[in-house]
C-alpha cells in the first residue's frame, strides 16, 4: 500500500492485489491462530486476491514477500511457478518487475530474497527496477533500517512486533514512484 501511495495517479491505473499466503481451507483454525495468521487475514481481507492471469495486464508489478531462509516464501514461489503459461506466451516480457520484502531480523536475508526473486523475473523477460541511491535514505547510519539498491525492505520482528520506520516507508514510496516512472517511459 505504501508503494501505491508513492505513485502519482495521474495517467496511471493502480491495482492493489494480494497473494493469499495462508489458505484458511488448508489449515485448521487453531493452527492459523497459533501462526498469528487470523488477524492479518482480517486486516487484508478488503484487498482482492491476485490471479496469475491478472499479471499479463499490468505494465509494472511490484511484488512483496516475507523472507524465508534468505528466499521468498513458499507460497510466493508456488504462485510464480504457476506463471508457466504466461512465460510460454511471453506475456511478461518487457514489463517492469520490482520487489520489496520483510524479514524477522536485521540480517534475515532481505537482499538475498530480493536478488533470488529477480532471477524468476528475468526468466520471465521482465525489466528489473530496484531502489536507486537517489533515495538518500539508504545512506542513513543513525538507525537500523531496511532498504538496499535491490528494493525496499523492513524488519518485522519474529512476531510482527516491529512496524516499518519512517525511512523504510519513504523507501517504499520512492520505489513505487520510480517503478511508475520507468514503466511510463517503457510504455511510450
Amino acid at each position: 500500500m505504501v508503494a501505491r501511495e508513492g505513485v502519482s495517479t495521474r495517467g496511471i491505473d493502480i491495482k492493489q492485489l494480494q497473494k493469499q499466503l495462508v489458505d484458511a481451507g488448508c489449515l485448521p483454525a487453531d493452527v492459523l491462530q497459533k501462526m498469528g495468521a487470523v488477524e492479518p487475514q482480517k486486516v487484508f481481507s478488503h484487498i482482492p486476491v491476485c490471479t496469475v492471469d491478472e499479471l499479463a495486464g499490468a505494465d509494472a508489478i511490484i511484488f512483496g514477500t516475507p523472507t524465508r531462509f534468505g528466499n521468498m516464501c513458499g507460497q510466493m514461489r508456488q504462485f510464480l511457478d504457476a506463471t508457466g503459461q504466461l512465460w510460454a506466451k511471453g506475456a511478461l516480457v518487457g514489463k517492469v518487475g520490482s520487489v520489496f520484502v520483510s524479514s524477522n531480523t536485521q540480517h534475515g536475508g532481505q537482499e538475498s530474497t530480493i536478488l533470488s526473486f529477480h532471477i524468476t523475473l528475468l526468466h520471465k523477460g521482465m525489466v528489473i527496477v530496484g531502489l536507486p541511491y537517489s533515495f538518500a535514505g539508504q545512506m542513513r547510519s543513525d538507525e537500523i533500517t531496511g532498504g538496499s539498491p535491490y528494493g525496499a525492505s523492513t524488519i518485522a520482528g519474529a512476531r510482527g512486533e516491529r512496524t516499518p520506520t519512517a525511512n523504510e516507508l519513504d523507501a517504499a514510496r520512492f520505489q513505487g514512484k520510480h517503478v511508475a516512472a520507468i514503466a511510463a517511459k517503457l510504455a511510450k
Side-chain angles (χ1 to χ4, degrees), residues 23 32 35 46 58 62 66 124 127 135-136:
D23 184 356
L32 291 172
M35 290 173 60
H46 68 285
I62 302 175
K124 306 291 183 192
V127 178
F135 172 66

Side-chain angles (χ1 to χ4, degrees), residues 164-185:
T165 66
N167 188 57
E168 292 167 341
L169 294 172
D170 288 344
R173 290 182 187 103
F174 190 100
Q175 185 173 345
K177 287 179 188 176
H178 186 56
V179 166
I182 299 298
K185 288 178 183 179

